């Protein structure tokens, strides 16, 4: 049977519970334990798939096609493992299960209540991943902040489990904030005291308190927190602001967060943490030898979390290339034929982001045209790939009205069309083409050079696809379909062999990029951007150019 770590949060949201949970998991994994993490979210949506990115950031898709919270992305990037539907549970999903059981008559005439029926279902799911012997440790992150009405049933479930599980099989880590008051030049512990008190009133006593802080927690302060919050002083952990999230595991190791957990669990047969790959990555990240600027064209740019996995994939790919990747946001709604050159000046690569609906698409098409005509490295993801197809159809094939039926249902030339199996679907939740699909690569293509093997498998989240009726026309004009689904023939990758680097993919490669396995297209794209930047620098400096000749 596995051991369980519950991670709660207090004082405020956005303290980085997901990163702390993932860092602890990383350390335990590096010490030879088999670890997984799950997230319990207190909102009523069955999954975040129907949420606008402005509400909850990116929707992360797992191999098995679950639409999940973006923290699962952190778990996969840190641990280099796959998560699944079982790793993300919402209040909505819990209620859905309980209500359908009630309809089946499973409760035998009983009144169905939050306690015990909802809490029993929460507990069942909290324990589930730890029951088949696959994991030594299951970490459960509870979304929201302690004191929220909606997180109460989850905290209650943790309370019950602490009683039901053997003493050395579970522990609670509580993450809080120690604010620094500039005027008083002091770190303040009161909010932490209050949040621990609130958690205790709900019946859960934390074993470890992790304190987010801008300034070091000196021993006196740690003593005070330990005293007022009733934990051992060694269990008061400093989580200082870090330059990158990837440094947090090392900060937590210095604070012995993993050792304290192992001690509580009576686990003694652990090894020194094996983090050499991780440290190598961090070194490259911290000391880049060059720099590129990538334009991210999207429409949810006000919120960085909307493109979380893309931004992290750039961090991984930058480190491999020993290159700092500066991502600049370019709002697609404001790009026109007249200003595109000015808006994209200074870029070494262009990424057109995934998205839904018609807002901002014309700007994206204009940007793709610029990249295609000017040899600017281009990478289109999902909607970005579809925009590249539309741009090519309009400006190279001369199909002036070409469009996607998502934006223009009556277009004369639907080069992007709704997938056949999507035509009958009306419900929105969980009904897209989701999860991992196989894709065969064309020999000698850019895609096959980038991946180095075939078939590949990547994750999807879309309803529309490239319309194969137009494929011959596209290929005759120089746009190659270099990746196809072996079963259905769906076009998954398009590329322009005559361009230095022009690739569009129907899937979401960013979802599989991890610290230890950076995603190959991102790596290739940054390499191409580096070459583009070098060439640009040489043109600007003719002296250097002649010297080089
Ligand atoms: N809206 C497009 C589709 O559903 C693209 C989706 C996406 O970019 N994830 O096909």
């Amino acid at each position: 049977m596995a051991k369980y770590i519950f991670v709660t949060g207090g004082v405020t949201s956005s303290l980085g519970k997901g990163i702390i949970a993932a860092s602890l998991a990383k350390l335990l994994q590096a010490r030879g334990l088999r670890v997984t993490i799950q997230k319990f979210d207190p909102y009523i949506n069955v999954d975040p798939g129907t949420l606008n990115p402005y509400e909850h950031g990116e929707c992360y898709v797992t191999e098995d096609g679950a639409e999940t919270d973006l923290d699962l992305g952190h778990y996969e990037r840190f641990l280099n493992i796959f998560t699944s539907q079982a790793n993300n549970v919402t209040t909505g999903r819990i209620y859905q299960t309980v209500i359908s059981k009630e309809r089946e008559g499973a409760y035998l005439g009983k009144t169905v209540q939050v306690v015990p029926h909802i809490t029993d279902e929460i507990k069942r799911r909290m324990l589930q991943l730890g029951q088949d012997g696959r994991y030594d440790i299951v970490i459960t992150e509870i979304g929201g902040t302690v004191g929220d009405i909606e997180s109460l049933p989850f905290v209650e479930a943790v309370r019950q489990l602490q009683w039901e599980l053997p003493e050395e099989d579970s522990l609670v880590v509580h993450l809080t904030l120690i604010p620094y008051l500039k005027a008083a030049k002091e770190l303040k512990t009161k909010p932490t005291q209050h949040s621990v008190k609130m958690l205790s009133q709900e019946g859960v006593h934390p074993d470890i308190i992790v304190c987010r802080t801008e300034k070091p927690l000196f021993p006196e302060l740690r003593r005070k927190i330990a005293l007022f919050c009733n934990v051992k002083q060694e269990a008061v952990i400093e989580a200082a602001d870090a330059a990158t999230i990837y440094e947090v595991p090392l900060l937590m190791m210095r604070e012995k967060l993993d050792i304290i957990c192992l001690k509580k669990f009576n686990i003694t047969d652990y090894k020194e943490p094996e983090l050499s790959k991780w440290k190598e990555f961090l070194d490259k990240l911290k000391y880049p030898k060059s720099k590129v600027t990538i334009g991210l064209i999207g429409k949810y740019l006000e919120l960085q979390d909307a493109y979380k996995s893309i931004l992290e994939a750039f961090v991984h790919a930058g480190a491999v290339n020993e290159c700092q990747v500066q991502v600049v946001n370019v709002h697609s709604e404001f790009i026109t034929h007249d200003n595109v050159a000015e808006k994209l000046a200074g870029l070494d690569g262009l990424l057109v982001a995934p998205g839904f609906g018609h807002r901002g698409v014309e700007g994206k098409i204009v940007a793709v045209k610029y990249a295609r005509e000017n040899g600017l490295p281009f990478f289109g993801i999902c909607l970005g790939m579809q925009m590249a197809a539309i741009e090519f159809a309009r400006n190279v094939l001369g199909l002036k009205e070409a469009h996607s039926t998502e934006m223009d249902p009556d277009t004369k030339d639907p080069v992007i069309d709704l997938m056949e199996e999507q035509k009958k679907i009306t419900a929105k939740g969980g009904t897209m083409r989701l999860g991992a699909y196989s894709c065969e690569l064309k020999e000698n293509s850019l895609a096959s050079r980038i991946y180095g093997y075939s078939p590949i498998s990547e994750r999807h989240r879309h309803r529309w696809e490239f319309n194969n009726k137009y494929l011959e026309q596209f290929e005759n004009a120089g746009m190659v379909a270099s990746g196809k689904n072996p079963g259905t023939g769906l076009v998954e990758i398009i590329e322009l062999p005559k361009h230095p680097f022009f690739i569009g993919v129907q899937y979401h490669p960013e979802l599989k990029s991890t610290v230890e396995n950076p995603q190959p297209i991102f790596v290739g794209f940054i390499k191409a951007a580096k070459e583009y930047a070098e060439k640009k620098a040489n043109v600007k400096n003719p002296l250097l150019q002649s010297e080089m000749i």
Side-chain angles (χ1 to χ4, degrees):
M1 183 103 149
K3 311 259 185 193
Y4 294 90
I5 298 177
F6 300 98
V7 182
T8 58
V11 183
T12 164
S13 57
S14 306
L15 289 182
K17 234 182 312 162
I19 302 294
I20 294 293
S23 299
L24 173 56
K26 181 78 221 167
L27 293 178
L28 295 168
Q29 185 194 53
R31 288 189 182 277
L33 294 152
R34 298 163 308 154
V35 190
T36 191
I37 322 188
Q38 52 186 353
K39 171 111 193 246
F40 280 58
D41 273 312
Y43 52 73
I44 294 174
N45 304 62
V46 171
D47 60 43
T50 51
L51 290 171
N52 184 319
Y54 284 124
E55 289 285 315
H56 207 65
E58 161 190 279
C59 172
Y60 187 79
V61 179
T62 54
E63 285 289 289
D64 61 346
E67 296 181 289
T68 71
D69 184 80
L70 57 78
D71 272 339
L72 272 80
H74 289 309
Y75 307 162
E76 291 204 0
R77 288 187 282 273
F78 274 56
L79 296 180
N80 207 32
I81 57 163
F82 288 155
T83 55
S84 69
Q85 179 63 75
N87 296 68
N88 192 198
V89 178
T90 67
T91 294
R93 194 169 289 275
I94 299 282
Y95 272 78
Q96 196 182 42
T97 310
V98 171
I99 292 171
S100 43
K101 270 169 77 181
E102 185 274 335
R103 293 289 80 188
E104 286 160 17
Y107 296 110
L108 303 172
K110 288 269 183 226
T111 308
V112 180
Q113 293 177 299
V114 174
V115 183
H117 303 102
I118 294 294
T119 45
D120 279 354
E121 179 57 21
I122 296 176
K123 285 193 294 180
R124 188 183 71 77
R125 288 178 184 258
M126 280 177 168
L127 297 179
Q128 197 180 0
L129 286 174
Q131 282 173 334
D132 59 7
R134 264 186 306 157
Y135 300 108
D136 302 310
I137 294 183
V138 177
I139 300 184
T140 302
E141 180 192 346
I142 314 279
T145 309
V146 166
D148 295 347
I149 292 178
E150 48 188 24
S151 59
L152 267 177
F154 294 103
V155 177
E156 170 61 14
V158 174
R159 184 192 73 77
Q160 293 179 20
L161 282 178
Q162 280 197 297
W163 278 101
E164 288 163 16
L165 292 170
E167 172 71 21
E168 69 282 4
D169 280 1
S170 81
L171 67 83
V172 174
V173 176
H174 186 58
L175 176 66
T176 74
L177 175 71
I178 307 287
Y180 178 72
L181 291 193
K182 269 203 193 104
K185 295 199 178 66
E186 250 185 280
L187 285 168
K188 290 295 185 187
T189 64
K190 194 70 86 190
T192 294
Q193 293 179 35
H194 279 302
S195 94
V196 171
K197 205 172 184 179
M198 193 150 0
L199 191 57
S200 302
Q201 276 164 4
E202 291 172 13
V204 172
H205 190 74
D207 298 276
I208 298 170
I209 298 180
V210 178
C211 306
R212 278 301 304 276
T213 171
E214 293 172 45
K215 306 266 175 202
L217 291 186
F218 47 89
E220 188 45 45
L221 209 81
R222 289 186 197 237
R223 246 196 311 277
K224 191 170 163 189
I225 297 169
L227 180 71
F228 282 104
C229 300
N230 209 12
V231 295
K232 295 250 165 58
Q233 196 176 324
E234 59 169 25
V236 177
I237 304 288
E238 171 188 298
D241 291 350
T244 143
I245 54 170
Y246 298 108
E247 227 168 53
V248 180
L250 301 184
L251 297 181
M252 291 303 103
M253 186 164 73
R254 233 171 285 151
E255 290 284 306
K256 302 196 170 59
L257 176 60
D258 51 337
I259 298 291
I260 299 166
C261 294
L262 292 168
K263 229 164 137 187
K264 163 93 203 284
F265 288 153
N266 285 338
I267 296 178
T268 47
D269 55 342
Y270 55 82
K271 51 176 195 163
E272 278 306 300
E274 163 47 28
L275 287 166
S276 49
K277 262 189 149 179
W278 191 273
K279 287 181 180 160
E280 200 182 303
F281 156 80
L282 261 182
D283 269 352
K284 286 189 179 164
L285 186 63
K286 282 207 239 159
Y287 307 107
K289 297 190 177 129
S290 57
K291 181 181 169 184
V292 293
T293 306
I294 303 296
L296 172 66
I297 312 253
K299 65 171 181 178
Y300 305 113
L301 296 168
E302 296 79 5
L303 187 75
Q304 285 299 296
D305 275 358
Y307 301 112
K308 193 85 211 159
S309 294
I310 292 179
L311 297 176
E312 296 306 328
F314 275 135
V315 174
H316 310 152
V320 178
N321 282 290
E322 297 183 74
C323 173
Q324 183 192 347
V325 182
Q326 187 193 11
V327 179
V328 296
N329 295 331
V330 188
H331 220 299
S332 55
E333 279 180 286
F334 308 123
I335 302 178
T336 62
H337 283 290
D338 297 334
N339 68 15
V340 62
E342 176 203 335
K343 289 248 183 230
L344 305 189
L347 298 185
D348 306 311
L350 181 74
L351 183 134
V352 179
F356 295 84
H358 70 273
R359 184 162 70 88
V361 299
E362 290 304 323
K364 288 185 178 179
I365 294 170
V366 172
V368 179
K369 177 170 188 278
Y370 179 88
R372 180 177 57 76
E373 291 178 345
N374 292 281
L376 179 65
F378 168 82
F379 184 7
I381 299 183
C382 207
L383 185 72
M385 172 267 202
Q386 298 176 352
M387 294 299 109
I390 295 168
E391 189 281 318
F392 194 80
R394 287 188 190 174
N395 300 320
V396 179
L397 303 183
L399 308 172
K400 291 287 169 230
E401 288 167 45
H403 220 319
S404 161
T405 51
E406 178 180 7
M407 290 67 183
D408 179 2
D410 304 316
T411 173
K412 228 171 64 202
D413 286 302
V415 290
I416 303 296
D417 202 4
L418 201 56
M419 276 180 274
E420 210 40 56
E421 66 269 26
Q422 286 286 332
K423 291 189 176 154
K424 316 172 270 299
I425 296 174
T426 51
K428 292 277 180 271
T431 57
M432 284 189 239
R433 182 182 184 218
L434 290 166
Y437 285 92
S438 168
C439 169
E440 251 160 26
L441 305 182
K442 201 179 198 124
E443 270 178 42
N444 300 321
S445 61
L446 174 63
S448 78
R449 283 197 299 279
I450 284 175
Y451 279 92
Y453 60 92
S454 172
I456 55 161
S457 167
E458 295 280 7
R459 299 181 197 167
H460 293 249
R461 183 174 189 249
H462 61 113
R463 295 185 202 280
W464 276 264
E465 59 162 317
F466 182 86
N467 185 346
N468 271 334
K469 284 188 203 130
Y470 291 88
L471 185 56
E472 209 183 313
Q473 253 178 294
F474 270 71
E475 297 214 302
N476 288 341
M479 175 78 89
V480 173
S482 56
K484 283 189 191 163
N485 179 288
T488 58
L490 288 183
V491 172
E492 314 283 32
I493 310 178
I494 55 174
E495 60 183 71
L496 285 175
K498 291 225 171 86
H499 190 284
F501 190 100
F502 190 104
I503 192 163
V505 295
Q506 185 57 80
Y507 50 84
H508 289 265
E510 72 277 18
L511 300 174
K512 276 176 75 173
S513 190
T514 71
V515 166
E516 283 171 32
N517 278 319
Q519 209 287 334
I521 308 185
F522 279 86
V523 174
F525 179 54
I526 295 304
K527 186 164 168 270
K530 249 168 76 173
E531 284 160 11
Y532 183 86
E534 276 159 24
K535 239 190 250 161
K536 221 169 49 178
N538 293 345
V539 172
K540 270 198 202 137
N541 187 347
L543 193 65
L544 189 67
Q545 202 180 24
S546 58
E547 271 171 15
M548 283 175 77
I549 295 164

